[in-house]
Amino acid sequence: MHLHDEKIKFIEEKAFAIRATIIEALVEAKSGHTAGPLGMADIFAAFYFHILKHDPKNPSWEERDRLVLSNGHICPVRYVTMAVAGYFPIEELKTLRKIDSRLQGHPHRTSLPGLETTSGPLGEGISQSIGMALAAKLDKADYHIYCFASDGEQQEGNTWEAAMFAGKNKINNLTVVIDRNNIQIDGFTENVMPLEPLVEKYKAFNWEVLEADGNNIRT
């Protein structure tokens, strides 16, 4: 998808607004993850304002692309991006992580239209996304599934069972975006449980792998 300079500037401005609003929401909540949401703001802006086929006024549109957030703890960036895109009022972000709010510390699918899954335990999103992708193929549906995942959850065995299944069954209507930021709650990934060579591992499971600077809209 070609991006001209004007559209790049538009997405960059959206990403800036998303970051600022994430900080405001977390300050109001007095809790929540910061690094992951802030680091993924450019990715979310690019998807919601350029890549995804979706309709904020009709979140259940059958032909929409599905976006699965596997690392659910970074949901503030998704909530903020959805609000900026028009899924719900921006003022509701002040309820983040509060009792009875639709915006909990991990996303709850039935609480907020526009969420595709409930996520908490890490390592499940790729498997869930493969299930959606396989269902789309069986239904001959023309939508794409995108899964956002953290690098830390690549340490989960479930991830590699899913990767094996997708490679065997040629699940080509799925794109997985891994946030390779090299950190997790206990320290650096390569100290906790080394992942490298991560690219070569996915290629060995029959995946096409592209590497990009996730904070550069042009890439």
Side-chain angles (χ1 to χ4, degrees):
M1 301 180 209
H2 176 67
L3 277 171
H4 51 75
D5 289 344
E6 186 175 335
K7 187 62 179 288
I8 289 172
K9 183 180 179 182
F10 170 79
I11 295 172
E12 288 174 340
E13 289 173 349
K14 290 294 184 185
F16 182 86
I18 288 166
R19 282 196 181 89
T21 310
I22 288 170
I23 293 171
E24 292 172 357
L26 290 172
V27 168
E28 178 72 24
K30 297 182 175 63
S31 66
H33 293 266
T34 55
L38 292 172
M40 287 290 285
D42 296 293
I43 295 287
F44 271 86
F47 269 79
Y48 273 88
F49 294 98
H50 180 63
I51 297 171
L52 278 183
K53 181 173 62 176
H54 69 118
D55 182 358
K57 303 304 180 187
N58 184 15
S60 299
W61 178 39
E62 283 295 325
E63 296 180 25
R64 73 190 183 282
D65 290 334
R66 273 65 168 170
L67 190 140
V68 173
L69 181 61
S70 184
N71 50 333
H73 58 279
I74 73 162
C75 61
V77 66
R78 184 166 198 179
Y79 295 152
V80 170
T81 306
M82 290 173 65
V84 171
Y87 279 85
F88 59 89
I90 289 179
E91 292 73 24
E92 189 173 348
L93 293 168
K94 293 179 181 179
T95 71
L96 176 66
R97 297 174 66 93
K98 294 183 179 178
I99 294 175
D100 295 328
S101 172
R102 299 195 295 174
L103 313 178
Q104 287 302 313
H106 285 80
H108 185 236
R109 185 182 67 82
T110 59
S111 296
L112 185 67
L115 298 180
E116 302 295 346
T117 57
T118 297
S119 53
L122 291 171
E124 296 181 352
I126 298 177
S127 294
Q128 294 168 334
S129 300
I130 289 170
M132 293 180 184
L134 184 58
K137 281 181 170 291
L138 293 172
D139 291 340
K140 296 181 170 55
D142 187 27
Y143 57 80
H144 198 86
I145 293 83
Y146 297 93
C147 177
F148 291 177
S150 63
D151 53 2
E153 64 186 311
Q154 306 306 302
Q155 297 161 351
E156 301 279 356
N158 187 4
T159 297
W160 300 104
E161 294 176 39
M164 231 181 343
F165 181 90
K168 174 185 180 294
N169 291 282
K170 297 180 173 57
I171 306 295
N172 59 2
N173 56 340
L174 166 68
T175 300
V176 175
V177 177
I178 299 173
D179 180 14
R180 187 66 173 114
N181 59 22
N182 297 293
I183 56 173
Q184 58 190 108
I185 196 165
D186 288 331
F188 293 104
T189 57
E190 301 313 288
N191 293 332
V192 176
M193 184 62 69
L195 294 171
E196 295 301 334
L198 187 58
V199 168
E200 285 73 12
K201 287 174 182 174
Y202 267 93
K203 287 181 177 179
F205 281 86
N206 242 3
W207 285 61
E208 180 182 4
V209 182
L210 302 175
E211 295 184 83
D213 179 354
N215 299 117
N216 183 344
I217 299 300
R218 291 184 182 276
T219 64

